[in-house]
Amino acid sequence: MKFKAVMENDGMVAGGCGAQSMVLHVLQALQRLERALDKKQSQRNATPPSVVLKLTPESFALAHRGGADEGSCTWSHFVTGQLFSEYRIESKRDNQIDLEAPLANLLHVFSSCSSSDRTTIRLANGSDGRPILGFEFALPGNVADHRVEQDVPVRVIPEEEAATIREPALPEPEYQIELPQSLGKIKNVLERMKAVGAQHILMEVGQERTATPGSVAGTAGASAPSGRAWMKFVAEAELVTISSTFPSLRLVMEGKDSRPPDGPVRLFLSLRRLTEVFSAIQGITAESHIACILQNRALVVYALLPKNLGSLISYTPAVTV
């Protein structure tokens, strides 16, 4: 089993960030989601938070399974040819390797190497004979660069267990919509809903329609789909109901085989979980955000990373109210 990869900080993503910084931003998003589970984990005497690294010749994926027992999980997929300047992987499992690593350790090492020009990552055995991911990089100094080596302990996941760690199998969503570029507006609405004591949120999405040329308003067939959609959030507390609508969102048809339904779709979600998701994703430099709505089943939010680097995908299951 062999793995070696090289990341170069060439400013290839938005804001002048390099590959190391982009991975760091994703890990920070996973940490935000994990922190929301800390209290629940401490009550269950859980082990320290970890992430799963699924390595193949084509993909470098991070899986955060916090909340997996409730159906919630978050994955990040990177294209190896975009993330790494050099990449080599060998294993008896058709060149696939699955590792589990402490989230805190990965955050520490990527925080350290995010400003380095070049970072080399190797799968090796540590001084105690246990597997590690070894990181080698140089940090600029006043006179000369400082060579740094840091190790992250990992657990090699057996093939049988690795096969069970996968993304939820879901049908085609009724709607795929592009969210506002600034997720802060959505996050602010959700925070206000939490502030009044709401626990759940109703999410509705439907097509916007435009008048058909030559038609008479109010008659059948007087309108047609506009290629845009509206998204509505409704939250109820004991003494107040808050409703907010986001209009004119672009319908995304890529990857869909069928058109959206004529009527709106709806699902109830945990307001706490939804707020956590948008807070975490907001910190990532993404080119666009896509929401996939599966009626009464799940909301899946995609953050598409710059330069076709990959994506962050968060799954939030519907709840019964």
Side-chain angles (χ1 to χ4, degrees):
M1 183 183 300
K2 297 180 180 179
F3 172 72
K4 177 184 176 182
V6 176
M7 310 174 77
E8 295 188 353
N9 195 350
D10 56 1
M12 66 178 179
V13 296
C17 296
Q20 299 97 311
S21 295
M22 197 69 250
V23 175
L24 174 62
H25 292 165
V26 168
L27 290 170
Q28 288 170 338
L30 299 183
Q31 184 187 44
R32 292 187 186 100
L33 291 170
E34 185 62 45
R35 281 175 176 169
L37 299 169
D38 282 349
K39 182 177 180 180
K40 186 184 298 182
Q41 283 190 337
S42 62
Q43 292 172 345
R44 298 176 182 175
N45 193 27
T47 57
S50 64
V51 294
V52 172
L53 292 78
K54 298 184 78 70
L55 314 177
T56 73
E58 296 80 24
S59 175
F60 179 92
L62 300 171
H64 177 255
R65 298 183 292 167
D69 55 337
E70 302 168 356
S72 303
C73 60
T74 303
W75 288 66
S76 185
H77 297 272
F78 294 94
V79 180
T80 57
Q82 296 290 96
L83 184 65
F84 302 104
S85 59
E86 300 177 24
Y87 188 86
R88 178 187 177 188
I89 183 171
E90 296 179 12
S91 79
K92 295 180 180 179
R93 291 179 48 216
D94 295 326
N95 298 329
Q96 300 179 49
I97 299 175
D98 291 74
L99 307 170
E100 184 176 21
L103 177 56
N105 296 61
L106 287 175
L107 272 167
H108 176 73
V109 70
F110 275 99
S111 295
S112 300
C113 72
S114 61
S115 60
S116 66
D117 291 334
R118 180 183 174 92
T119 301
T120 301
I121 310 171
R122 288 185 178 87
L123 178 62
N125 289 325
S127 57
D128 59 358
R130 297 180 180 180
I132 60 164
L133 278 179
F135 289 73
E136 299 178 11
F137 53 93
L139 296 177
N142 293 330
V143 178
D145 291 348
H146 304 289
R147 185 170 178 269
V148 180
E149 295 184 4
Q150 293 184 10
D151 296 338
V152 174
V154 297
R155 179 177 71 92
V156 178
I157 301 175
E159 182 176 3
E160 295 77 11
E161 181 184 348
T164 67
I165 303 173
R166 56 183 182 269
E167 295 177 73
L170 295 172
E172 179 179 296
E174 284 88 354
Y175 278 95
Q176 296 179 165
I177 57 174
E178 184 172 353
L179 297 173
Q181 184 62 33
S182 174
L183 296 183
K185 296 178 180 179
I186 297 177
K187 178 176 173 290
N188 290 340
V189 168
L190 299 178
E191 292 287 0
R192 287 199 297 270
M193 291 176 169
K194 281 183 61 181
V196 300
Q199 301 294 316
H200 301 97
I201 185 170
L202 170 64
M203 180 179 185
E204 285 187 296
V205 177
Q207 292 192 71
E208 293 182 348
R209 306 184 73 86
T210 57
T212 303
S215 62
V216 179
T219 63
S223 63
S226 65
R228 295 278 168 173
W230 52 265
M231 177 177 69
K232 183 178 182 180
F233 291 143
V234 181
E236 294 184 0
E238 185 176 358
L239 299 175
V240 65
T241 297
I242 299 178
S243 175
S244 183
T245 300
F246 296 85
S248 195
L249 302 175
R250 184 175 72 89
L251 281 172
V252 179
M253 296 306 299
E254 289 85 348
K256 275 184 64 64
D257 295 325
S258 57
R259 299 289 305 175
D262 291 333
V265 299
R266 59 190 298 181
L267 71 163
F268 284 95
L269 300 164
S270 163
L271 177 55
R272 181 169 177 264
R273 165 68 184 181
L274 193 60
T275 306
E276 295 162 3
V277 168
F278 281 106
S279 296
I281 293 179
Q282 185 183 14
I284 296 177
T285 304
E287 288 191 343
S288 61
H289 305 91
I290 308 296
C292 300
I293 299 91
L294 294 88
Q295 179 157 269
N296 297 326
R297 296 194 64 167
L299 169 67
V300 184
V301 180
Y302 287 76
L304 304 182
L305 305 180
K307 304 292 185 181
N308 297 316
L309 190 63
S311 61
L312 180 77
I313 311 168
S314 186
Y315 298 83
T316 301
V319 297
T320 302
V321 178

